[in-house]
């Protein structure tokens, strides 16, 4: 590969960078709140809810994300095919058969659903660890001051949890940057897919290295962002 | 009027009886010290009175309100509303302070007045300033707990408890996490509160302090009250063998 080819490959990868970023940001947007909900469900005093949540976390963390992406992506068309065969007509049946699984939007939504469900399981465990690391004395002090349970959680516990989960969360976010490349399995047009195509075009491994550089720069930015966030919370221990 | 009345209180953790038939009362303006070896049930007693542990039997009355009693051999607690009312009239100072680390000294003190008592912030701040001055913490309003010495942190936690203007203040070994030098400054603050006729119940290992500051001393061992009475009498002239044995180590003080 000559220099102009390197420049050309970089330019093309740059065009597909927004697709990678879109998947990254939408996954974060949904998986963090969902992770908080999962934490809450796991700590639910009604045991069956807690058990089901444990099973969900076990499956999400116990099977490959790549498999989950494929499963979510093909679930709707397969369900729709089954419904058409059996001739179902409930609101659910109509909802499933009404989804246009050939549109670009469908692919992206399927990806975000798979990524968000998977990352929520990891975030949930990080958040649970954070909550359980707060000393019992903090709850007791709040209780002695007459604070209600929601006040105790939102005013005393949560702000301290946020600080404590930052390092573990930064790990997950860095992994997510790289995991977006798993979307190639259903041919989502992001930088890894394009890099692989250009490896064939140029019969060279260089496009893959250029893609690697893209991920590296993105994660350098993510790392810097987390350094700043940690600094923001450094005013207390 | 008795601010606190405890009758036949019992508490067990599994098979272990931690409190057995505890009865005592605290009058307004009284300073009561509870002494005894580790594991004698002193802290558990305080935690039961402060609703941090549930008692198994007996009766507790605070400020004329019934907090818990026993019916058909079971502990029956007052309705939530009463328990909350009681809670707001008592304060507790913890051994390891339990300050809120993410809040400044001022924020720690005004947290409850503003968010529990729903006082205006300006009023809460001016009252907090008075407490800060009294506790010798002037200039530390904006500091965070991690920037303070243990003694200063404990004084903030006393101010935080006082901000709710409690009728009675409990101390659970307030100096046990402090080195001897810092212990002095906390004991001085408690002495000043005693001079202002603040009703206090203090679990402590500081025998000299218990003798000097309190007007009533309770000696506990093995979950029982072994002996109680006037400090000069109990420390100077006890007839009880167990008390004598316990106090032997502190002789010559």
């Amino acid at each position: 590969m000559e220099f102009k080819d390197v420049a050309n490959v970089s330019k093309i990868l740059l065009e597909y960078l927004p697709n990678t970023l879109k998947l990254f940001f939408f996954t974060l947007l949904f998986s963090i709140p969902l992770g908080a909900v999962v934490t809450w469900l796991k700590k639910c005093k009604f045991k069956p809810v807690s058990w089901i949540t444990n099973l969900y976390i076990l499956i999400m963390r116990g099977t490959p994300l790549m498999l989950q992406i494929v499963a979510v992506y093909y679930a709707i068309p397969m369900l729709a095919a089954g419904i058409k065969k059996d001739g179902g007509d409930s609101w659910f049946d109509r909802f499933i058969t009404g989804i246009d699984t050939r549109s670009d939007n469908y692919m992206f939504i399927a990806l975000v659903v798979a990524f968000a469900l998977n990352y929520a399981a990891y975030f949930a465990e990080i958040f649970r660890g954070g909550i359980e690391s707060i000393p019992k004395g903090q709850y007791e002090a709040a209780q002695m001051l007459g604070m209600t349970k929601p006040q105790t959680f939102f005013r005393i516990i949560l702000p301290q949890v946020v600080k404590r989960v930052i390092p573990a969360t930064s790990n997950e976010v860095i992994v997510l940057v790289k995991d977006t490349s798993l979307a190639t399995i259903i041919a989502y047009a992001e930088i890894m897919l394009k890099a692989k195509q250009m490896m064939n075009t140029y019969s060279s491994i260089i496009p893959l290295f250029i893609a690697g550089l893209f991920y590296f720069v993105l994660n350098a930015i993510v790392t810097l962002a987390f350094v700043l966030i940690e600094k923001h919370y450094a005013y207390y221990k | 009027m008795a601010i606190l009345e405890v009758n036949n209180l019992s508490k067990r953790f599994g098979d272990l009886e931690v409190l057995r038939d505890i009865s005592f009362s605290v009058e307004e303006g009284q300073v009561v010290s509870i002494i005894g070896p580790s594991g004698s049930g002193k802290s558990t007693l305080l935690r039961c009175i402060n609703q941090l542990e549930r008692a198994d039997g007996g009766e507790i009355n605070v400020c004329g309100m019934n907090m818990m009693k026993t019916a058909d051999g079971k502990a029956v607690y007052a309705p939530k509303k009463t328990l909350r009312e009681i809670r707001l009239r008592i304060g507790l100072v913890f051994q390891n302070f339990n300050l809120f680390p993410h809040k400044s000294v001022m924020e720690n003190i005004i947290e409850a007045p503003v968010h529990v008592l729903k006082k205006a912030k300006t009023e809460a701040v001016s009252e907090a300033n008075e407490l800060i001055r009294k506790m010798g913490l002037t200039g530390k309003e904006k500091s965070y707990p991690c920037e303070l010495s243990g003694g200063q942190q404990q004084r903030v936690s006393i101010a935080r408890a006082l901000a709710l203007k409690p009728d009675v203040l409990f101390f659970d070994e307030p100096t046990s996490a402090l080195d001897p030098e810092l212990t002095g400054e906390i004991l001085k603050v408690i002495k000043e509160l005693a001079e202002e006729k603040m009703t206090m119940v203090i679990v402590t290992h500081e025998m000299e302090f218990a003798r000097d500051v309190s007007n009533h001393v309770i000696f506990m061992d093995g979950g029982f009250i072994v002996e109680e009475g006037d400090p000069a009498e109990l420390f100077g002239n006890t007839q009880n063998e167990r008390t004598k044995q316990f106090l032997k180590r502190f002789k010559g003080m």
Side-chain angles (χ1 to χ4, degrees):
Chain A
M1 269 179 85
E2 291 171 31
F3 178 74
K4 70 169 176 29
D5 298 330
V6 170
N8 191 39
V9 168
S10 305
K11 198 177 134 260
I12 293 170
L13 289 185
L14 206 56
E15 280 169 32
Y16 288 89
L17 178 63
N19 282 347
T20 292
L21 292 179
K22 221 167 78 179
L23 180 57
F24 170 77
F25 281 115
F26 274 91
T27 300
L28 276 190
L29 183 70
F30 290 107
S31 61
I32 289 178
L34 190 60
V37 173
V38 174
T39 304
W40 183 66
L41 290 175
K42 176 157 177 164
K43 291 181 85 73
C44 179
K45 291 211 177 83
F46 182 61
K47 285 295 158 202
V49 171
S50 176
W51 294 332
I52 292 169
T53 313
N54 275 333
L55 183 65
Y56 159 79
I57 293 173
L58 192 63
I59 293 170
M60 286 299 150
R61 298 200 306 177
T63 60
L65 175 54
M66 193 182 268
L67 184 153
Q68 293 164 17
I69 295 167
V70 174
V72 172
Y73 183 64
Y74 289 111
I76 304 287
M78 282 170 72
L79 273 176
I83 291 162
K84 273 176 192 151
K85 204 174 126 209
D86 302 340
D89 196 34
S90 68
W91 68 266
F92 178 76
D93 295 337
R94 267 176 282 148
F95 172 74
I96 295 293
T97 50
I99 296 172
D100 178 7
T101 55
R102 286 198 186 81
S103 71
D104 284 351
N105 264 345
Y106 171 73
M107 180 188 276
F108 182 70
I109 291 167
L111 279 170
V112 171
V113 168
F115 272 83
L117 285 175
N118 179 277
Y119 271 78
Y122 288 94
F123 283 131
E125 286 298 81
I126 291 174
F127 299 161
R128 185 177 64 89
I131 290 172
E132 287 173 5
S133 75
I134 304 296
K136 200 170 125 229
Q138 291 290 303
Y139 292 91
E140 290 182 349
Q143 206 178 326
M144 283 314 302
L145 294 174
M147 297 176 81
T148 62
K149 277 191 175 159
Q151 277 178 331
T152 305
F153 184 74
F154 288 106
R155 300 193 53 79
I156 307 301
I157 306 302
L158 188 60
Q160 297 182 57
V161 169
V162 169
K163 179 181 164 103
R164 288 182 187 212
V165 301
I166 290 168
T169 302
S170 80
N171 254 344
E172 281 311 307
V173 175
I174 285 169
V175 174
L176 174 60
V177 168
K178 295 174 292 181
D179 271 0
T180 54
S181 62
L182 292 173
T184 54
I185 191 73
I186 56 170
Y188 176 64
E190 43 70 71
I191 48 183
M192 187 56 88
L193 187 82
K194 287 294 146 186
K196 279 203 268 183
Q197 288 171 357
M198 283 183 289
M199 271 172 73
N200 293 332
T201 313
Y202 291 95
S203 299
S204 162
I205 201 172
I206 301 286
L208 202 59
F209 288 162
I210 299 174
L213 196 64
F214 272 66
Y215 289 107
F216 180 80
V217 171
L218 286 180
N219 270 331
I221 296 167
V222 168
T223 305
L224 179 69
F226 273 97
V227 167
L228 294 177
I229 295 171
E230 278 192 39
K231 265 203 184 129
H232 173 76
Y233 284 102
Y235 66 90
Y236 75 91
K237 271 189 213 121
Chain B
M1 181 192 92
I3 288 221
L4 173 68
E5 266 178 359
V6 176
N7 297 316
N8 314 104
L9 191 72
S10 66
K11 166 76 185 169
R12 48 167 66 241
F13 291 121
D15 286 338
L16 184 69
E17 281 188 84
V18 198
L19 297 176
R20 308 186 223 199
D21 200 25
I22 300 282
S23 299
F24 72 102
S25 68
V26 177
E27 301 295 317
E28 197 173 338
Q30 228 182 2
V31 178
V32 175
S33 290
I34 304 177
I35 59 169
S38 298
S40 58
K42 311 179 298 292
S43 289
T44 306
L45 173 59
L46 227 56
R47 291 173 62 83
C48 285
I49 297 166
N50 284 286
Q51 305 176 39
L52 295 175
E53 300 282 356
R54 279 183 92 84
D56 296 322
E59 186 183 3
I60 302 174
N61 296 310
V62 180
C63 305
M65 290 177 277
N66 177 258
M67 184 178 121
M68 59 96 44
K69 57 180 187 247
T70 308
D72 301 329
K74 270 190 176 165
V76 181
Y77 274 76
K80 271 191 177 161
K81 198 167 160 277
T82 314
L83 291 180
R84 191 174 158 75
E85 207 173 318
I86 290 174
R87 167 148 285 152
L88 291 176
R89 297 179 65 169
I90 63 185
L92 173 63
V93 174
F94 296 88
Q95 178 177 346
N96 40 13
F97 332 134
N98 291 337
L99 290 174
F100 304 133
H102 59 303
K103 291 181 181 290
S104 68
V105 167
M106 178 58 85
E107 288 165 342
N108 263 282
I109 299 173
I110 65 171
E111 179 67 24
V114 172
H115 295 279
V116 176
L117 301 183
K118 309 286 179 199
K119 275 189 189 173
K121 200 174 168 196
T122 46
E123 188 192 348
V125 167
S126 84
E127 286 178 3
N129 273 323
E130 174 61 22
L131 285 169
I132 285 169
R133 191 193 55 75
K134 217 165 113 182
M135 293 294 139
L137 292 163
T138 308
K140 299 284 179 199
E141 294 84 350
K142 291 194 175 112
S143 299
Y144 286 88
C146 64
E147 300 164 334
L148 303 176
S149 73
Q152 288 169 331
Q153 289 189 49
Q154 191 58 298
R155 281 182 279 152
V156 176
S157 96
I158 295 172
R160 182 176 70 174
L162 287 173
L164 285 171
K165 301 198 170 71
D167 291 336
V168 51
L169 193 54
F170 294 86
F171 293 81
D172 187 7
E173 300 188 24
T175 60
S176 294
L178 304 173
D179 67 43
E181 242 172 281
L182 298 176
T183 297
E185 60 181 70
I186 296 305
L187 299 184
K188 190 170 147 269
V189 166
I190 298 175
K191 264 184 197 158
E192 283 165 11
L193 289 172
E195 278 159 23
E196 294 170 19
K197 294 288 168 224
M198 179 82 209
T199 313
M200 292 184 283
V201 178
I202 308 161
V203 167
T204 183
H205 288 299
E206 299 286 330
M207 296 304 144
E208 197 177 341
F209 170 72
R211 187 187 60 189
D212 294 347
V213 78
S214 44
N215 15 60
H216 195 80
V217 178
I218 295 173
F219 171 57
M220 279 180 75
D221 188 28
F224 286 108
I225 292 183
V226 175
E227 191 181 359
E228 63 175 314
D230 180 69
E233 188 67 20
L234 193 139
F235 282 102
N237 192 24
T238 178
Q239 301 305 312
N240 186 295
E241 280 309 315
R242 181 67 188 95
T243 316
K244 268 186 196 163
Q245 190 196 348
F246 177 71
L247 291 175
K248 212 157 56 185
R249 284 178 296 154
F250 304 100
K251 278 298 173 202
M253 64 181 200

